[in-house]
């Protein structure tokens, strides 16, 4: 019966991994529906600390099946490395299922990601260079190769011969790099296919069965709403649909089935890569947040850009996804600040606006209008009930609820499962 989607509401890295790892305890099925190895979901639990790129964060519970849906682009190399690492840490990975419809990231995708970024020069997007954009381009261009194709070696050879011919023209004639070898890629992907075969299947019947049995299904969003190909800060976005709507097409499920959409918001804002970010703090305060919170990318290790909470952007994400509730993460990061700012509007071209602009050039010119709230200057990491939070922290949470017009159901005060306050029941 219950179907819950966990969706990033900012520019990614909101703490989705922690929230999913927590909620997955009760889940029967945990599903990734979009993105690829550009995601880096940190999970800290009794098995250790993990940065998951493709395997859903529910993998740590013995009763939970994990599914990589058709909307994901899969790098077999990254996935196999991740599985090996999990197995080394004695995590049972036998309950993983990969949709045969999911598209593969091929060596030319990672290479083109790098070459395209270099060619953009000062207009580089700051991609993770994991080949995600080029793989989605091929999917839409009907030039993709799918996970299911790994199971038919002859068919794979013929498809790869056709696609690689075009890619090699692009690589040699446009980018001036040497062509890639058909034989080598085919050999490598046949080996990947042999190793991944036990996990590859038709995933639709699994989801249908779970729905019929009334099991709890958890959608694990990747990236964030402001990186969405349609609703994000285009062109500084990823190539998939991280919004909740992406879950239906990324898995093959009707929107009528969803029961609860949980947005994940950090108590402040971060962004990694290029593009506008109105509340970015370039000075000492931004650096303080980065140091206190260790804001470095889980996938690329790049320093994340840090700034105050942007309620204009968060309200937009809340509307686009129809959040029923929010998980507010990393409240503890603000523990030491004497005062905390929240952006409630933007000043642009002499006007004051409260709508999130649809144009990145306009957003780039937006100056944040701040409201200043008192800090609490004491540790919250050990607190487990809303009423135990210092009054200024309670006021901060309540003010954010008002500004985004959505209840905050979960408050996270540390990276561990138990460092969580359930302020309101989900469902
Ligand atoms: P995701 O991509 O949305 O899963 O987020 P990331 O894993 O990329 O980044 C979130 C980071 O915040 C990780 O290092 C988490 O361990 C950490 N984290 C999550 N929740 C909290 C919290 O409430 N407090 C603190 N201090 N860290 C947290
Ligand atoms: P999780 O799931 C933060 C960003 C990249 C870049 C832009 C495009 O961990 O929240 P891409 O490689 O997707 O073509 O890069 O999107 N990006 C993320 N930023 N968290 C992520 O995932 C991201 N996935 C992509 O930094 O700006
Ligand atoms: Mg991340």
């Amino acid at each position: 019966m219950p179907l819950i989607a966990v969706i990033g509401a900012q520019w990614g890295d909101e703490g989705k991994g922690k929230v999913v790892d927590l909620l997955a305890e009760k889940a029967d099925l945990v599903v990734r529906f979009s993105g690829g190895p550009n995601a880096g979901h940190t999970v800290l639990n009794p098995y250790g600390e993990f940065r998951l790129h493709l395997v859903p964060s529910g993998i740590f519970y013995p009763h939970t099946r994990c599914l990589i849906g058709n909307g994901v682009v899969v790098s077999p190399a990254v996935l196999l490395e991740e599985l090996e690492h999990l197995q080394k840490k004695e995590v049972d990975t036998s309950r993983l299922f990969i949709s045969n419809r999911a598209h593969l990231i091929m060596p030319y995708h990672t290479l083109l990601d790098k070459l395209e970024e270099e060619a953009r020069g000062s207009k580089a997007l700051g991609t993770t260079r994991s080949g995600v954009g080029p793989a989605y381009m091929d999917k839409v261009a009907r030039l993709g190769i799918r996970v299911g194709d790994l199971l038919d070696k002859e068919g794979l050879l013929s498809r790869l011969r056709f696609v690689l011919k075009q890619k090699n023209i692009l690589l040699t004639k446009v980018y001036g790099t040497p062509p890639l070898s058909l034989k080598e890629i085919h050999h490598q992907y046949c080996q990947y296919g042999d190793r991944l075969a036990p996990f590859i299947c038709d995933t639709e019947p699994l989801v249908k069965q779970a729905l019929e049995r009334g099991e709890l299904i958890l959608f694990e969003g990747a990236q964030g709403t402001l990186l969405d190909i349609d609703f994000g800060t285009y062109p500084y976005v990823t190539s998939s649909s991280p919004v909740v709507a992406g879950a239906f097409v990324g898995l093959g499920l009707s929107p009528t089935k969803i029961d609860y959409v949980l947005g994940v918001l950090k108590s402040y804002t971060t962004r990694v890569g290029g593009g506008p970010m109105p509340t970015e703090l370039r000075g000492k305060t931004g650096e303080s947040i980065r140091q206190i919170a260790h804001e470095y990318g889980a996938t690329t290790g790049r320093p994340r850009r840090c700034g105050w909470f942007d309620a204009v952007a968060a309200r937009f994400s809340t509307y686009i996804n129809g959040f029923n509730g929010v998980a507010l993460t990393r409240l503890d990061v603000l523990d030491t600040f004497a005062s905390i700012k929240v952006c409630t509007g933007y000043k642009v071209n002499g006007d004051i606006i409260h709508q999130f602009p649809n144009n990145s050039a306009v957003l780039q010119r937006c100056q944040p209008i701040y409201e200043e709230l008192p800090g609490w200057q004491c540790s919250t990491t050990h607190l487990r009930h809303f009423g135990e939070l210092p009054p200024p922290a309670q006021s901060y949470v309540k003010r954010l609820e008002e500004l985004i017009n959505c209840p905050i159901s979960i408050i996270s005060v540390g990276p561990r499962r138990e460092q969580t306050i359930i302020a309101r029941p989900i469902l």
Side-chain angles (χ1 to χ4, degrees), residues 12-14 16 39-42 298-299 304:
D13 302 330
E14 297 90 350
K16 300 175 291 293
H41 295 180
T42 313
T299 300
R304 293 176 183 149

Side-chain angles (χ1 to χ4, degrees), residues 11-14 16 38-41 113 125-130 132-133 222-223 227 237-239 272-274 302:
W11 280 287
D13 302 330
E14 297 90 350
K16 300 175 291 293
N38 48 353
H41 295 180
D113 201 349
L125 305 175
T127 75
T128 57
R129 300 194 177 200
S130 47
V132 165
Q223 288 74 54
L227 288 170
V237 292
T238 190
S239 299
V272 58
R302 289 177 291 175

Side-chain angles (χ1 to χ4, degrees), residues 16-27:
K16 300 175 291 293
K18 151 147 187 186
V19 173
V20 171
D21 176 58
L22 175 81
L23 298 180
E25 188 186 357
K26 294 195 182 132

Side-chain angles (χ1 to χ4, degrees), residues 152-358:
D152 168 14
K153 290 179 180 164
E154 282 309 306
L156 177 66
L157 182 64
S158 144
R159 178 74 176 156
L160 188 58
R161 183 178 289 118
F162 173 73
V163 177
L164 193 61
K165 198 171 152 199
Q166 302 188 41
K167 296 297 166 188
N168 274 338
I169 293 173
L170 183 64
L171 288 171
T172 56
K173 304 260 190 274
V174 176
Y175 291 104
T177 61
L180 297 178
S181 153
L182 172 67
K183 207 172 141 203
E184 276 174 27
I185 300 179
H186 181 249
H187 178 68
Q188 188 181 38
Y189 275 67
C190 283
Q191 286 187 331
Y192 289 151
D194 290 341
R195 293 174 65 192
L196 289 176
F199 303 103
I200 301 172
C201 64
D202 254 334
T203 49
E204 297 90 79
L206 290 176
V207 178
K208 186 166 177 281
Q209 192 185 51
L211 284 170
E212 284 165 359
R213 288 187 192 150
E215 293 181 342
L216 196 155
I217 308 178
L218 205 56
F219 284 118
E220 177 174 353
Q223 288 74 54
T225 301
L226 306 178
L227 288 170
D228 183 87
I229 186 76
D230 286 279
F231 296 102
T233 48
Y234 196 87
Y236 297 96
V237 292
T238 190
S239 299
S240 60
S241 302
V243 293
V244 68
F248 307 114
V249 73
L251 189 62
L253 190 86
S254 162
T256 57
K257 305 285 182 204
I258 197 109
D259 295 287
Y260 195 97
V261 188
L262 180 73
V264 188
L265 281 163
K266 256 182 207 180
S267 306
Y268 49 96
T269 307
T270 62
R271 173 163 207 174
V272 58
M277 175 181 162
T279 62
E280 180 171 12
L281 295 165
R282 290 198 170 83
K284 233 175 81 191
T285 313
E287 190 53 34
S288 297
I289 297 179
R290 181 158 39 253
Q291 293 313 325
I292 294 170
H294 309 290
E295 287 290 3
Y296 295 89
T299 300
T300 57
R302 289 177 291 175
R304 293 176 183 149
R305 301 156 63 192
C306 298
W308 296 119
F309 188 89
D310 186 338
V312 182
R315 202 161 46 228
F316 172 72
S317 292
T318 302
Y319 167 71
I320 289 290
N321 293 289
F323 293 144
N324 300 93
V326 156
L328 185 72
T329 62
R330 295 195 145 215
L331 187 69
D332 55 297
V333 168
L334 302 178
D335 281 354
T336 55
F337 289 86
S339 74
I340 297 163
K341 290 183 183 172
V342 178
C343 169
T344 56
Y346 302 139
K347 206 181 269 179
V348 62
N349 303 333
D351 293 326
I352 290 178
I353 59 168
H354 295 92
Q355 301 280 357
F356 193 66
N358 61 22

